[in-house]
């Protein structure tokens, strides 16, 4: 035994060696300790465990995890009094919030961002929060709502507009929301954080390189679409101002080549493109092709919007849908079939009155949304001038030949369309005052029902007209303030509260 | 003649060539010019062409643009492009 303090140490000779001897005996002869040592010494046990955990982690990451059904917010901002309620797809109130009005990104647009008036033919001047082109699957140009009071949720619309106007359609696996924004401007392709602009990205490449494509050198303002179910990326460049296009298609089903992974790894886009170009990948197949065609109709050669800003929907069946706004003329649709190199344009069209796209600024032009199941893409533009009314193509991403059209020919205010339940959209028009005993007017658009040939109390066939403003639900949703006000719908950036 | 349908209050029209409930009194692709009054389709622009409708609307829109104010009442006037606007190609001064 040894006793010691700062000044005195008591030593008993032989005790240390006795303790050591007893310990050695125990380590050598105790059956439990022997069993532990044997297990620890099994060759590769920890290595195998570590490998298995790593493999399991990869498998879990690759699982098409379904996410909560969509949530949405009813938002109003009467005279700089921004409030919102958050609802889930069961129409259940789950949270609410409001915005500090003395914040950096909110206050510069005080007066522009109110909801107590109609925008009519005006541009980005007043009551603009509810303008039809302010919304896209990537986010709202001005608002990124959270739950909670006194939050800071505004973004800078003068920056975000450049990004959102150049982001394309991302089609995920069943029930998996898009994880990123897919950006294309000219030959610059970027993987960006969803809804965030204007600077910053996870990966940025120049497609005009032989390792990636046979690029013509044309123009594109976001003519890009990605289908994660088939791992197909399609980018289109306009070869000229006469609607001659080059369509590039990359397919890469290799291991860890999903662009819509929950946690994106920089370099994935480079590998996706370059492996597709060479036709060589690991754990899957890879290919790259390009196709030239012309789609000129209804004066589409006269506007940058219709020259360079198609919405691209790469279908599961390989057919590629393309929706386009021709300002002041029409919103129309076409498909391209690579296997037969066929352009098909004989789809129903939707008429436009005087209306503007990206020619008048990045805040204007065609936009898109997508349902929770990622089966239905809505490509829509305003109907009247900068942001009023709505012309919509609903396109089936499983087979883009399946589609429906819808129109709200308003000259007064915009519309909002948000994902709802599995395969529906919730829609509202901001024309009607929510004052008095009415509240918001909400319509549910059931596209899977329409595909099955039924809509509310009648039949519908492929390409038929869906009436968004019929069967409107009144008096369900209350909103802030008691005077003339025109509240809007917003899709929540995150569908799980507290996520 | 083009067919269209109307909301229950008759104030909202949409062009509906296949299943429209009413024939329009003039050939048109602009639903905002029509309303339904006691079962009768009324053309608020009295039968002019769609192009003329655009011209009439544009007069109003230009006036609204010149008098635009934000929600605080601050003037925010702006100019509208002409109806025959054609975008220059990139590199020619636009976008």
């Amino acid at each position: 035994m040894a006793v010691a303090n700062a000044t005195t140490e008591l030593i008993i000779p032989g005790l240390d060696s006795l303790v050591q001897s007893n310990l050695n005996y125990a380590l050598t002869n105790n059956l439990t300790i022997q069993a532990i040592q044997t297990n620890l010494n099994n060759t590769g046990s920890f290595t195998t465990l570590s490998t298995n955990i790593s493999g399991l982690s990869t498998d879990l990451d690759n699982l098409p995890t379904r996410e909560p059904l969509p949530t949405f917010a009813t938002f109003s901002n009467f005279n700089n009094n921004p409030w919102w309620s958050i609802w889930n797809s069961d129409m259940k109130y789950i949270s609410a919030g409001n915005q500090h009005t003395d914040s950096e990104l909110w206050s510069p647009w005080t007066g522009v961002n109110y909801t107590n008036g109609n925008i009519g033919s005006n541009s980005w001047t007043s009551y603009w929060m509810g303008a039809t082109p302010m919304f896209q699957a990537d986010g709202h140009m001005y608002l990124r709502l959270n739950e909670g009071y006194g939050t800071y949720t505004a973004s800078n619309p003068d920056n975000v507009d450049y990004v959102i106007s150049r982001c394309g359609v991302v089609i995920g696996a069943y029930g998996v929301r898009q994880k990123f924004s897919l950006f294309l401007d000219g030959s610059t392709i970027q993987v960006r954080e969803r809804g965030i602009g204007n600077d910053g990205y996870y990966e940025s490449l120049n497609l005009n390189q032989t390792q990636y494509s046979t690029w013509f050198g044309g123009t594109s303002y976001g003519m890009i679409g990605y289908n994660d179910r088939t791992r197909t990326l399609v980018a289109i460049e306009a070869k000229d101002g006469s609607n001659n296009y080059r369509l590039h298609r990359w397919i890469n089903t290799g291991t860890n080549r999903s662009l819509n992974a929950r946690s994106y790894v920089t370099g994935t886009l480079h590998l996706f493109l370059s492996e597709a170009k060479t036709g060589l990948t690991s754990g899957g197949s890879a290919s790259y092709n390009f196709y030239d065609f012309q789609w000129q109709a209804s004066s589409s050669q006269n506007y940058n919007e219709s020259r360079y800003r198609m919405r691209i929907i790469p279908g599961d069946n390989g057919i590629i849908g393309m929706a386009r706004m021709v300002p002041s003329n029409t919103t129309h649709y076409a498909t391209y079939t690579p296997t037969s190199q066929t352009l098909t344009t004989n789809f129903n069209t939707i008429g436009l009155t005087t209306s503007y796209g990206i020619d008048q600024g990045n805040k204007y032009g065609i936009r898109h949304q997508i349902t929770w199941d990622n089966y239905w893409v809505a490509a829509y533009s305003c109907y009247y001038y900068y942001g009023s009314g709505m012309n919509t193509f609903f396109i089936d991403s499983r087979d883009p030949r399946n589609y429906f059209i819808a129109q709200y020919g308003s000259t007064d205010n915009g519309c909002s369309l948000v994902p709802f339940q599995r395969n529906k959209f919730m829609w509202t028009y901001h024309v009607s005052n929510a004052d008095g005993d009415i509240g918001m007017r909400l319509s549910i658009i059931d596209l899977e029902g329409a595909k099955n040939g039924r809509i509310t109390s009648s039949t519908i066939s492929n390409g038929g007209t869906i009436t968004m403003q019929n069967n409107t639900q009144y008096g369900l949703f209350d909103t802030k303030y008691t005077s003339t006000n025109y509240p809007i719908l917003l899709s929540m950036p995150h569908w799980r509260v507290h996520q | 003649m083009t067919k269209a349908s109307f909301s229950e209050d008759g104030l909202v029209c949409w062009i509906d060539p296949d299943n429209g409930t009413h024939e329009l009194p003039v050939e048109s692709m602009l639903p905002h010019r029509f309303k339904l009054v006691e079962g009768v389709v009324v053309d608020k622009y009295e039968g002019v062409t769609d192009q003329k409708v655009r011209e009439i609307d544009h007069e109003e829109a230009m006036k609204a643009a010149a008098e635009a104010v934000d929600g605080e009442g601050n003037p925010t006037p702006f100019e509208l492009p002409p109806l025959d606007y054609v975008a220059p190609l990139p590199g020619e001064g636009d976008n």
Side-chain angles (χ1 to χ4, degrees), chain A residues 423-476:
Chain A
N423 44 38
K424 301 177 178 66
F425 288 108
M426 177 81 82
W427 177 85
T428 190
Y429 51 102
H430 312 142
V431 176
S432 292
N433 180 13
D435 195 10
D437 58 357
I438 296 298
M440 285 191 74
R441 297 156 169 82
L442 302 173
S443 296
I444 296 169
I445 300 169
D446 182 357
L447 294 158
E448 210 60 20
K451 190 184 177 195
N452 292 332
R454 297 295 302 180
I455 180 164
T456 55
S457 56
S458 61
T459 60
I460 188 169
S461 54
N462 190 38
T465 301
I466 288 180
T467 308
M468 296 191 288
Q469 60 273 25
N470 262 4
N471 198 30
T472 304
Q473 304 186 40
Y474 297 88
L476 282 174

Side-chain angles (χ1 to χ4, degrees), chain A residues 52-65 262:
Chain A
N52 288 344
I53 289 173
S54 176
L56 184 61
S57 182
T58 301
D59 289 344
L60 287 173
D61 199 39
N62 289 334
L63 278 177
T65 308
R262 190 169 297 275

Side-chain angles (χ1 to χ4, degrees), chain A residues 79-80 110-112 114 116 121-123 125-127 166 219 221 240-241 302-304 307-308 328-329 348-354 356 358-362 383-386 407-411 459 463-465 467 469-470, chain B residues 5-9 12-19 29-33 45 50 53-55 57-62 64-65 68-72 74 76-90 94-95:
Chain A
N79 282 352
N80 217 27
T110 299
V112 173
Y114 294 178
N116 42 302
S121 57
N122 280 351
S123 64
T125 52
S126 57
Y127 314 126
R166 287 157 173 81
T219 307
Y221 299 155
D240 54 30
N302 285 349
Y303 309 95
N304 288 335
R307 292 170 183 151
Y308 313 126
S328 300
N329 283 274
N348 288 333
T349 61
I350 320 172
L352 284 169
T353 188
T354 304
Y356 302 130
I358 200 169
D359 307 273
Q360 268 63 52
N362 292 321
Y383 166 77
Y384 180 77
Y385 283 82
Y386 295 91
Q407 181 178 48
Y408 187 66
S410 171
T411 61
T459 60
T465 301
T467 308
Q469 60 273 25
N470 262 4
Chain B
S5 299
F6 293 84
S7 58
E8 290 179 6
D9 60 10
V12 180
C13 170
W14 57 97
I15 306 298
D16 193 358
D18 298 329
N19 299 308
M29 291 300 288
L30 305 182
H32 74 276
R33 62 187 289 182
Y45 294 80
D50 276 356
V53 169
R54 290 189 174 101
E55 292 170 10
D57 285 347
H58 208 60
E59 290 292 322
E60 292 295 318
M62 285 194 293
V69 294
D70 67 16
E72 303 276 272
N74 303 309
T76 54
F78 64 99
E79 291 188 359
L80 289 169
L83 277 180
D84 58 354
Y85 173 83
V86 174
L89 292 170
D94 202 352
N95 272 302

